[in-house]
Amino acid sequence: MFKWAVIDVEPRPDYTLLITFAKGKKRIFDCKKFLFDEDYAKELKNIDLFMKAKADHHTVMWTDELDISPEYLYENSVKEKNFA
């Protein structure tokens, strides 16, 4: 299994995702810059939708059309203990 395969995700009200990747590695992905600086996922500014994030197909998904590549999530996240 690829190191960036998403096993589980916990969306948080501060627009971060606690993601469990393959082999149990936990990392934090901060969505604020992604959501507020890009037009791609502007509908995720709706906290009710954001909080519906789920792990599916080895990535984080909200709807069938709305997901983030697992490689991007892994490369742009930090170890849980390094998140301030």
Side-chain angles (χ1 to χ4, degrees):
M1 184 175 295
F2 297 104
K3 69 180 180 182
W4 41 258
V6 175
I7 306 300
D8 191 38
V9 62
E10 178 187 321
R12 297 175 170 180
D14 65 351
Y15 289 99
T16 60
L17 301 170
L18 173 58
I19 303 171
T20 305
F21 289 94
K23 299 183 182 177
K25 292 183 181 181
K26 290 189 181 282
R27 298 176 64 89
I28 300 284
F29 180 79
D30 189 347
C31 293
K32 287 182 286 297
K33 179 173 178 17
F34 179 76
L35 293 177
F36 295 100
D37 291 349
E38 305 289 334
D39 285 336
Y40 166 73
K42 60 185 173 186
E43 60 265 33
L44 287 178
K45 290 178 186 177
N46 177 326
I47 192 68
D48 293 330
L49 178 59
F50 181 81
M51 294 299 291
K52 292 180 181 178
K54 62 184 175 188
D56 198 5
H57 293 91
H58 300 291
T59 194
V60 175
M61 298 183 73
W62 287 269
T63 68
D64 288 341
E65 295 83 31
L66 188 56
D67 61 31
I68 303 175
S69 110
E71 298 94 330
Y72 184 87
L73 290 167
Y74 190 86
E75 292 169 4
N76 292 280
S77 60
V78 296
K79 292 180 182 176
E80 182 180 18
K81 65 181 180 179
N82 293 342
F83 187 75

